[in-house]
Structures are given as structure tokens and as C-alpha cells.
Amino acid sequence: MALVYAVASAHAASSTLLIYDTLSKPFSLVNEIAPIQMSLTHFDTHVETLADSKVTAADLQKANFIVLAGISGFPKLKPDLLTMLEQSQRPVMAVGAASSFASEKPLAAAKTSTPIEKTKVAYRGREWTLRLDPFYGDSYAGARPLVGTSSKGAQPLAWRVGNRLGFAALPSEPPLSMVFSDVLIDFYGGSQEAPPAMVFVIQDYNPSCNPAALRRAVDYFEHQKTPFVVTTQMKEVPPGVEITPREEFMDSLRYAQAHGGRIFLHGGNGPERSEVFRKEGIRIEGTEDTSSASAGIEVGSAFVQRIPGEPPVPFASAVPLRLEGGGLLIPANVHAGLDGSANEELKKSIRDISSFRGGLAVVVVPAWMRFQDMLAALEAARSTSLPVIDPVTRFSAPRS
């Protein structure tokens, strides 16, 4: 199974069938399938999502991988389809109320959820104190734990039995969704994940920002021999602020580019804006938060519709995600702040992300910050010793 390394092609290497019972837990409107779907986009696989009542034998036969998600109960598959699934040698990831399927003698019924108010989840050298609700914990004969908890009997959060993997909760929010995404690597049999790394992004440099601060940041990156990204735009300038003269603004971007910076176009700007920069000798090599982007490299957030009628919300990811058109989203998952506590939180976020296979900590530093505050955030990030990569070099090469 080829995992995401570079900008993926539009032709997926495999197919995954995601089967679910309902979208939401009882007495809730929150879509619990959306985070699972989004986690799957890290992988080079075509995902088809079907309610249990819509699944056919042909669907099971053509899928290379099957994710069985129980949101309010065990999916109600027809008896012949359930037998077919039990006898299948295809990998099956059983989630939530369906996790009882991940056993030597798979159960076609959900165990009772026993929510845990406070437990420690240990994984890959990191530990988080979490509330797990729902939690379908149990101990299965022959199961190999993948993720542990400190709950009664040290019940595992994730485990493997043969070709079946179980995940005893719903991966709705981080860090649980990030742990789930990492366990999916075992599900897909992945072995090609890149080492954890970091990307530096100076965000939304526009004519209201201080070009001297950008130049000093560029000099810092060059001195440290560190690659970096600058996202830029000229369109959304706050009213009532001093505007940098056009030539000075463009000069500062050319300076950044000449000293190793990659220039990305900030969201809300169409192709005509790329042409404006191109005529000034500035290469646009990616985008930021551009909802219409389908190819190339984008830095920003993926959004999921969790509640009908409400705006989509960001999906926190520790790893790159594929865009529908074959491009790649590198997640803006670490944000610089203005004080010491913010930088401590920044370091914690980077360490958490670096524990995951293929983890990519994308450190976003607003361009409006004073250089001293930029420097404090950058130094805090560098103190974690996570290697810094050039995303254009890493993710633009053709996939082998």
C-alpha cells in the first residue's frame, strides 16, 4: 500500500469501503463519520461510504480494505453479507460500536459502551489524559494491543486480531483522531512513511505588514540554513493601516525568494493574482486556504461538516492529506503566539505531532508579528530538534 509522500495522482492505488450504521450518536446531530472519512484521505485509496442498508455483495468483493464503523450500534448488515465479511481475508478496521468484530470469533453485536471519564492513553512514547465516550473496551483472546489505556484491566484502545483491527472509541477530536490516523498505517500495511519533520510558514504577508520584519526573518532562516514558506496576498488589506509601497512590497518578496523562500498564494486570490506576482518575477509554488484548490501543494486546514446547517469546522491532522484533484494539503497544525505560555504550547504540539509516523508539524507564524516575537516562536520550535523540510522539494516529486 503506497502512502502519501508526494502529490498524489488522481488514480488511487486501492479502494476502501466505509460502512456505517448512522451518522450521529443517539440524541446528537454531530456527524461522527466525517472525521473517519477525513483520516482516510492521508492514504492513496479511493473511499466509498455506504450506510449498512445500502451495502451489496459486489461492494464487499471489490473493496481492498473495509472500515466498519458503529456510531450508535453495530451496523445491521444482511446475514449473508455479514457471513461474507466474517469469512473475508481482506483487512477490516472495526470502529466504535463495531469494534467487537475485531476478535477471533467476530461478534455481530456491539458491546455495551462504558464511558471513561479520565484515562491515560499511551502511544509511541507520548501520553494523553482523555475522556473516552463512548468506549467499547474489552479483552479479546489472541489480540495484540496497539494503543493502551490505563483504564480498569488496562483495556486497549486499539488492537489487532489477524486481519482485523479494532478501535474502541470514535476518533472525533485530536489527539484521538491523530492516534486513529496513525493506527490506520498498520491497517493499510504501510511501510513507506517519511520521518517526522517540520515546516515553517510566515503567514499572510501583505502590504499592511512590516517588510523589515520579513527581511530579518529571511536573514534568520538563511543563517540557520532553514527552508521556509511565505504566504502572501495584496487583496485583503485591513482598512486604516499604513500600506507598504508596491515596489517595496514586491522587493521584499523577491528578497525572500532569492534567499530560499517558497512563495505561496494566500487564500481568496484567484489565478489572476498569480499572474500579477509572476510578472514581478515571483514564483507562486503553492497556495494557502484556497477552497477551490485541487492540485499542487496547499497549506491550511481541511474542513468537515459536523452539524447540519452550521459552518464546517477545521479538522486537525498530524499528517498531510490528499486533495480530491490529486494535490496535497499540508496541515497548519501549530500556531505561534505572543507570550511564553503560547510558545510552551507550541513546543508541546510539535512533540505530539512528531510522535506520529509521517508526522508533519507545520508551524504558522503570522507576518504581522514583530520580529522579536517571530524569533521567539521560531527558536521555541527549533528547540524541539525536529528536522525542517522544504515542502516543495519533499512533496512535488513524482510518486514511485
Side-chain angles (χ1 to χ4, degrees):
M1 178 66 189
L3 302 183
V4 169
Y5 268 95
V7 174
S9 71
H11 303 288
S14 71
S15 63
T16 298
L17 176 62
L18 170 56
I19 303 170
Y20 67 96
D21 59 325
T22 61
L23 293 176
S24 305
K25 295 185 290 186
F27 312 110
S28 172
L29 294 175
V30 179
N31 185 325
E32 301 290 352
I33 290 296
I36 297 174
Q37 291 173 307
M38 190 59 69
S39 295
L40 294 172
T41 65
H42 174 57
F43 302 90
D44 190 9
T45 185
H46 169 73
V47 179
E48 183 174 6
T49 305
L50 291 175
D52 48 12
S53 62
K54 303 292 185 182
V55 178
T56 67
D59 294 321
L60 293 178
Q61 288 170 344
K62 70 182 181 182
N64 302 110
F65 301 89
I66 297 168
V67 178
L68 193 63
I71 306 305
S72 63
F74 197 97
K76 295 179 177 62
L77 292 170
K78 296 174 183 176
D80 59 323
L81 297 181
L82 185 60
T83 299
M84 184 177 172
L85 186 60
E86 289 172 349
Q87 296 174 349
S88 174
Q89 295 304 304
R90 290 175 173 80
V92 178
M93 167 69 85
V95 182
S99 60
S100 58
F101 190 82
S103 61
E104 290 181 335
K105 295 182 179 180
L107 304 177
K111 292 282 188 178
T112 301
S113 169
T114 307
I116 302 174
E117 194 61 36
K118 190 176 182 181
T119 188
K120 290 182 179 178
V121 172
Y123 187 59
R124 298 184 62 84
R126 301 294 288 174
E127 188 175 84
W128 300 271
T129 300
L130 303 176
R131 180 175 184 266
L132 298 178
D133 182 13
F135 183 70
Y136 298 90
D138 207 336
S139 297
Y140 296 104
R144 178 168 67 86
L146 299 175
V147 185
T149 72
S150 62
S151 60
K152 186 178 179 181
Q155 294 172 313
L157 173 64
W159 64 92
R160 175 192 286 277
V161 177
N163 65 316
R164 304 185 182 105
L165 280 77
F167 197 86
L170 297 178
S172 304
E173 304 290 342
L176 208 57
S177 56
M178 294 182 179
V179 172
F180 176 73
S181 179
D182 201 85
V183 171
L184 284 172
I185 297 172
D186 298 303
F187 172 59
Y188 284 112
S191 59
Q192 300 182 33
E193 286 285 345
M198 185 159 53
V199 172
F200 283 133
V201 178
I202 303 298
Q203 183 185 47
D204 193 14
Y205 178 67
N206 63 69
S208 72
C209 300
N210 184 351
L214 178 66
R215 284 176 177 265
R216 292 185 69 184
V218 169
D219 290 343
Y220 169 82
F221 287 127
E222 185 178 43
H223 177 73
Q224 298 294 341
K225 296 181 172 58
T226 299
F228 64 100
V229 170
V230 178
T231 71
T232 187
Q233 55 104 355
M234 297 184 293
K235 195 173 178 182
E236 300 171 11
V237 179
V241 298
E242 183 177 346
I243 304 297
T244 303
R246 176 189 174 92
E247 192 56 30
E248 186 178 353
F249 174 70
M250 293 297 183
D251 269 348
S252 60
L253 284 171
R254 283 189 285 262
Y255 185 82
Q257 179 177 270
H259 292 79
R262 302 294 193 174
I263 311 301
F264 284 22
L265 192 64
H266 184 74
N269 292 265
E272 70 281 0
R273 289 287 172 177
S274 294
E275 183 64 15
V276 169
F277 287 106
R278 188 191 67 80
K279 289 180 177 178
E280 294 286 346
I282 298 163
R283 295 186 305 276
I284 299 297
E285 300 185 89
T287 60
E288 179 193 20
D289 285 339
T290 305
S291 58
S292 61
S294 61
I297 304 172
E298 180 182 356
V299 58
S301 298
F303 288 86
V304 293
Q305 186 78 50
R306 295 302 304 277
I307 299 177
E310 293 192 4
V313 296
F315 175 79
S317 178
V319 292
L321 303 174
R322 293 185 307 119
L323 298 170
E324 287 187 8
L328 195 69
L329 176 73
I330 57 175
N333 49 23
V334 181
H335 296 271
L338 290 174
D339 53 36
S341 61
N343 287 332
E344 288 303 312
E345 185 62 30
L346 176 148
K347 288 190 286 187
K348 178 181 180 300
S349 295
I350 293 172
R351 292 187 181 111
D352 283 347
I353 291 167
S354 67
S355 68
F356 299 113
R357 289 168 285 183
L360 189 67
V362 180
V363 181
V364 177
V365 181
W368 52 258
M369 290 174 68
R370 298 182 311 154
F371 173 72
Q372 291 84 347
D373 296 320
M374 288 186 186
L375 180 62
L378 295 170
E379 289 284 85
R382 289 187 66 252
S383 72
T384 65
S385 300
L386 193 63
V388 183
I389 62 164
D390 175 354
V392 174
T393 300
R394 168 69 65 87
F395 297 117
S396 291
R399 186 177 54 215
S400 60

